[in-house]
């Protein structure tokens, strides 16, 4: 279907950061009829904190959202560094990552997830249909011209709607992805995260406790602390936990004994930090292999965690989702303006974003090799920490956070236009 003469019917599934950013990017396109669906009955952001990296800020600027985030709602370390890496036994500072010539407005920050959600929601103009759990998608190949691939969305509440493009912004366990790629499977990664909040006064009163974004490392497991302002400091701990039963990715209360066990070899500072933790929830982390494509059938596009289920491996999931939304909206606009069908726009989106995720999975493969080497060497605690920080926590993938998707898009569309002109010249 040409996107020139008929308004493009677009449905966004999910109203987390990915879905809200997609709504902002699509809502003002004059050729689009937009619908946003969310399965929750109340739109609220769960969890503790998230990172605002330079590339996150760049996208927030583009969406006009940056000004909605107030200085009092974010934490930036006084030393201007993005993150500290410390030995979890000795407390020694092993590495502190600076931020070079990063623009002051784009310096790394940490905030409650709810801060980001409220800021995005303030710029969403279209209604969000709550209580709308997507349960099934069916194809309707004969209801419109043959070069269109309309889909009917079926919701648990009985609502149905036909759309030309469905955007899967529905997270790691994406229903949209399961329709587009029914053979795709998630697996327990072998790692479990424990998360909670601690009154900041308790930890800031500990002599020597750094008021910074801090990882306390073991050879493989780590403890993470960061001030989130508003009197609360977040605690996130990551440990290898055997798959000794059914694992679930949503929060379950952890017992104190279970929670403390993985960090028994860590030093006094970490033990005191953990002693203040209450109401800790555990989240088994699930992930999947890289998708070869993040579009399907000329009518499905995946964004955010639906397109790359990595369980927060790089701490920049919001930025990646925003980049997806930006490129997808620009690719759809490009197809409309050049009188191409929607499938060609989705193909261009895929060719811009899939290589980016391939590079990220390559980084993770390197992490796996480092862990295997660590096991083979049989290093002690401190030698293991040095090995892991050297091989997994260096600045070799810092390019992810400085990535300028707008420049990448401009280059890609220029090359595609030139390619198509060459094809037309030979016809």
């Amino acid at each position: 279907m040409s996107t020139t003469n008929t308004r493009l019917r677009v449905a966004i599934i999910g109203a987390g950061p990915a879905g809200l950013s997609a709504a902002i990017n699509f809502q003002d396109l004059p050729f689009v009829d937009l619908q946003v669906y969310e399965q929750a009955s109340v739109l609220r952001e769960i969890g503790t904190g998230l990172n605002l990296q330079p590339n996150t800020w760049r996208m927030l600027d583009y969406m006009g959202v940056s000004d909605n985030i107030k200085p009092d709602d974010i934490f930036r370390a006084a030393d201007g560094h993005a993150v500290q890496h410390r030995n979890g036994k000795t407390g020694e500072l092993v590495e502190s990552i600076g931020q070079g010539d990063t623009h002051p407005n784009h310096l790394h920050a940490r905030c409650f997830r709810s801060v980001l959600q409220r800021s995005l929601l303030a710029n969403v103009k279209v209604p969000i249909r709550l209580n709308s759990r997507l349960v099934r998608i069916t194809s309707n190949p004969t209801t419109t011209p043959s070069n269109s691939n309309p889909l009917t969305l079926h919701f648990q509440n009985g609502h149905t709607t036909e759309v030309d493009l469905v955007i899967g912004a529905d997270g790691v366990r994406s229903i949209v992805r399961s329709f587009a790629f029914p053979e795709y499977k998630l697996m327990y990664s072998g790692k479990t995260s424990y998360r909670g909040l601690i009154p900041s006064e308790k930890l800031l009163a500990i002599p020597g406790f750094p008021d910074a974004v801090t990882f306390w490392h073991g050879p493989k497991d780590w403890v993470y602390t960061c001030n989130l302002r508003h009197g609360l400091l977040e605690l996130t701990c990551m440990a290898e936990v055997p798959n000794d039963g059914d694992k679930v990715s949503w929060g379950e209360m952890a017992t104190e004994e279970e929670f403390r066990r993985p960090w028994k070899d860590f030093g006094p500072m970490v033990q005191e930090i953990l002693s203040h933790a209450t109401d800790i929830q555990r989240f088994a982390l699930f992930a999947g292999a890289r998708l070869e494509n993040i579009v399907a059938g000329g009518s499905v596009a995946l964004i955010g965690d639906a397109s790359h289920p990595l369980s927060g491996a790089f701490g920049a999931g919001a930025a990646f989702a925003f980049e997806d939304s930006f490129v997808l909206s620009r690719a759809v606009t490009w197809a409309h303006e050049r009188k191409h069908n929607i499938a060609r726009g989705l193909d261009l989106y895929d060719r811009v974003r899939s290589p980016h995720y391939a590079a990220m999975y390559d980084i993770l493969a390197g992490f796996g090799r480092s862990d295997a080497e660590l096991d083979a060497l049989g290093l002690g605690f401190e030698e293991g920490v040095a090995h892991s920080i050297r091989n997994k926590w260096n600045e070799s993938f810092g390019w992810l956070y400085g990535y300028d998707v707008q420049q990448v898009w401009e280059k890609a569309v220029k090359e595609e236009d030139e390619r198509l002109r060459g094809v037309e010249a030979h016809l």
Side-chain angles (χ1 to χ4, degrees), residues 117-329:
Q117 184 196 55
R118 288 195 305 268
S119 301
L120 291 166
L121 274 171
N123 284 33
V124 174
K125 304 173 186 176
V126 295
I128 298 171
R129 296 184 63 139
L130 301 174
N131 291 306
S132 298
R133 180 186 293 274
L134 181 66
V135 294
R136 187 162 53 96
I137 304 175
T138 54
S139 300
N140 306 314
T142 62
T143 59
T144 57
S146 59
N147 58 345
S148 173
N149 300 286
L151 301 171
T152 297
L153 308 182
H154 303 260
F155 296 87
Q156 191 176 60
N157 59 13
H159 175 71
T160 63
T161 187
E162 186 178 85
V163 299
D164 304 302
L165 170 61
V166 57
I167 300 174
D170 49 344
V172 170
R173 296 184 177 276
S174 169
I175 295 296
V176 178
R177 186 181 62 233
S178 67
F179 164 78
F181 305 103
E183 302 302 316
Y184 189 85
K185 303 295 182 186
L186 292 175
M187 297 180 61
Y188 174 55
S189 67
K191 297 181 182 294
T192 291
S193 174
Y194 298 87
R195 301 172 188 165
L197 297 169
I198 301 173
S200 53
E201 62 184 16
K202 291 186 177 181
L203 298 191
L204 295 177
I206 301 173
F209 179 85
D211 191 15
V213 182
T214 308
F215 284 91
W216 308 84
H217 288 279
K220 289 186 180 179
D221 304 338
W222 46 260
V223 170
Y224 174 92
T225 54
C226 181
N227 198 334
L228 289 178
R229 312 294 292 270
H230 304 286
L232 291 170
L233 199 145
E234 68 176 315
L235 172 70
T236 299
C237 311
M238 189 81 71
E240 291 190 338
V241 177
N243 190 7
D244 53 1
D246 292 334
K247 299 289 185 184
V248 297
S249 56
W250 53 90
E252 296 182 308
M253 296 307 297
T255 66
E256 181 176 356
E257 190 276 333
E258 171 199 356
F259 165 61
R260 298 292 293 270
R261 187 188 312 131
W263 297 279
K264 60 182 177 59
D265 294 329
F266 282 55
M269 176 68 80
V270 172
Q271 299 304 326
E272 184 166 1
I273 292 169
L274 299 181
S275 73
H276 292 289
T278 59
D279 299 325
I280 294 294
Q281 290 186 304
R282 67 168 174 270
F283 300 80
L285 301 182
F286 285 76
R290 182 177 74 86
L291 287 161
E292 292 297 323
N293 304 101
I294 57 175
V295 300
S299 53
V300 176
L302 303 177
I303 65 173
D305 289 345
S307 71
H308 59 283
L310 295 177
S311 293
F314 296 100
F320 302 150
F322 297 166
E323 291 167 354
D324 285 347
S325 297
F326 167 79
V327 175
L328 180 59
S329 67

Side-chain angles (χ1 to χ4, degrees), residues 106-120:
H106 292 174
L107 291 172
H108 173 269
R110 189 84 176 166
C111 68
F112 280 106
R113 296 179 66 87
S114 57
V115 169
L116 182 63
Q117 184 196 55
R118 288 195 305 268
S119 301
L120 291 166

Side-chain angles (χ1 to χ4, degrees), residues 10 28 37 62 77 87 111 141 199 207 225 257 275 282 341 343 353 362:
V10 178
D28 291 327
Y37 296 93
Y62 175 80
N87 183 306
C111 68
T225 54
E257 190 276 333
S275 73
R282 67 168 174 270
N341 63 28
R353 294 304 286 165
D362 286 345

